[in-house]
């Protein structure tokens, strides 16, 4: 992959990220409020479902661009050393590396967004200022480890399944898949990965929303999972699973379909 193709991956990824995040923001708000420790109604219910959208609007392009340029580069770098039967492992390694890089941008945006989502009467900039004043820059990265521990397993499932379904469909029809077919594969892969990783998403949400100084605010995932299970059982670990699956299935359709379509157009 030469320099122009890397630039195309960056632009295509950024456009795909902005598209999916803004279109699906209301579903994400509902999911966050279902997972909130104060409960759905007290967290805002169906009111102000676009609370926190400025944070997403600012962070989604660089976040998705960083993910896809890393993903494509690692795939390109590993391809000469990977026999065909290890292709899924290559995709896993590429997606894991991409998540580590993208989370450096995603987590601050996510922290601000989720706190704004459960406090719909507070402006997003005020939420951001409050975090910096009370916790410093470190507060913007609260939940980085839990986000990475959620995103890497998610990507380990989603991207190999997406690439496998595309390859399978291409073999069946004897030519490469087009953008809408890639989008359908992305929807199936995203929904499946979303269901499997919901407990990690709940833990991440609780860590980001926890009061400063509390036990969960330390950012340790296993204690957070245990606390959720102790108080709410298995249903608590899968809080918001259906809106999460719906959002990520639709998100996979839009995100991966838009990425392939934009990349094809630019190439």
């Amino acid at each position: 992959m030469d320099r122009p193709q890397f630039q195309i991956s960056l632009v295509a990824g950024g456009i795909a990220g902005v598209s999916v995040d803004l279109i699906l923001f209301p579903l994400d708000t509902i999911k966050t409020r279902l997972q909130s420790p104060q409960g759905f109604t007290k967290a805002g219910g169906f009111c102000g479902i676009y609370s926190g959208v400025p944070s997403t609007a600012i962070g989604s392009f660089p976040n998705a661009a960083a993910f896809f340029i890393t993903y494509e580069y690692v795939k390109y770098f590993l391809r000469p050393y990977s026999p065909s039967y290890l292709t899924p492992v290559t995709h896993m390694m590429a997606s894991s590396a991409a998540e580590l890089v993208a989370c450096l941008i995603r987590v601050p945006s996510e922290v601000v967004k989720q706190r704004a989502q459960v406090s719909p009467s507070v402006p997003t900039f005020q939420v951001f200022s409050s975090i910096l004043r009370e916790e410093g820059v470190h507060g913007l990265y609260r939940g980085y480890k839990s986000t990475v521990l959620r995103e890497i397993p998610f990507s380990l499932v989603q991207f190999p399944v997406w690439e496998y379904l595309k390859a399978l469909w291409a073999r069946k029809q004897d030519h490469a898949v087009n953008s809408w077919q890639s989008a359908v594969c992305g929807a199936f892969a995203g929904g499946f990965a979303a269901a499997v990783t919901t407990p990690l998403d709940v833990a991440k949400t609780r860590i980001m929303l926890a009061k400063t100084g509390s036990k969960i605010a330390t950012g340790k995932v296993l204690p957070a999972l245990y606390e959720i299970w102790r108080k709410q059982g298995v249903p608590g670990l899968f809080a918001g699973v259906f809106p999460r699956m719906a959002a990520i299935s639709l998100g996979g359709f839009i995100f991966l379909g838009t990425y392939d379509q934009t990349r094809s157009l630019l190439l």
Side-chain angles (χ1 to χ4, degrees):
M1 188 185 296
D2 58 21
R3 184 180 297 275
Q5 286 178 302
F6 276 126
Q7 292 171 344
I8 285 168
S9 293
L10 187 149
V11 174
I15 291 172
V18 171
S19 301
V20 72
D21 284 347
L22 295 183
I23 291 170
L24 300 183
F25 193 86
L27 271 177
D28 184 72
T29 300
I30 291 168
K31 183 268 298 180
T32 298
R33 291 175 181 175
L34 284 168
Q35 294 177 351
S36 170
Q38 70 242 54
F40 179 72
T41 304
K42 289 184 179 179
F46 290 103
C47 299
I49 56 174
Y50 279 94
S51 298
V53 76
S55 174
T56 295
I58 293 169
S60 58
F61 188 98
N63 162 39
F67 177 90
F68 271 112
I69 196 168
T70 307
Y71 180 70
E72 295 291 357
Y73 178 79
V74 175
K75 277 203 308 181
Y76 164 78
F77 178 78
L78 293 177
R79 192 173 292 128
Y81 309 103
S82 303
S84 59
Y85 65 89
L86 287 179
T87 298
V89 177
T90 300
H91 295 151
M92 289 179 178
M93 294 177 69
S95 60
S96 298
E99 289 295 358
L100 286 171
V101 173
C103 280
L104 293 171
I105 302 168
R106 182 182 306 150
V107 171
S109 173
E110 186 89 349
V111 170
V112 174
K113 178 198 74 175
Q114 291 201 320
R115 295 199 192 179
Q117 284 174 329
V118 299
S119 305
S121 61
V122 182
T124 302
F125 183 74
Q126 190 174 327
V127 172
F128 173 73
S129 301
S130 176
I131 294 169
L132 284 180
R133 185 175 62 253
E134 295 174 12
E135 302 176 62
V137 175
H138 179 74
L140 292 172
Y141 282 92
R142 185 203 287 185
Y144 177 81
K145 287 186 291 186
S146 60
T147 303
V148 168
L149 287 173
R150 178 198 67 173
E151 295 295 351
I152 287 181
F154 180 86
S155 290
L156 287 175
V157 176
Q158 183 189 33
F159 278 85
V161 171
W162 177 53
E163 300 276 13
Y164 172 77
L165 291 175
K166 287 198 299 178
L168 184 64
W169 200 332
R171 282 202 303 271
K172 291 286 186 182
Q173 64 187 12
D174 216 22
H175 62 80
V177 296
N178 57 33
S179 297
W180 78 263
Q181 291 170 332
S182 174
V184 171
C185 295
F188 277 102
F192 178 67
V196 171
T197 58
T198 294
L200 293 171
D201 185 59
V202 176
K204 185 269 306 176
T205 298
R206 294 292 179 87
I207 288 168
M208 286 184 171
L209 298 180
K211 292 182 179 179
T212 305
S214 66
K215 186 178 178 181
I216 291 182
T218 58
K220 295 179 180 177
V221 177
L222 289 179
L225 287 170
Y226 174 74
E227 188 71 12
I228 295 163
W229 176 79
R230 188 176 64 83
K231 290 184 177 179
Q232 297 174 276
V234 174
L237 291 172
F238 284 90
V241 64
F242 293 114
R244 175 171 160 79
M245 285 180 66
I248 292 180
S249 291
L250 186 53
F253 184 90
I254 298 168
F255 186 55
L256 298 174
T258 301
Y259 175 72
D260 267 4
Q261 178 64 27
T262 306
R263 198 163 182 273
S264 297
L265 289 172
L266 292 174
L267 283 171

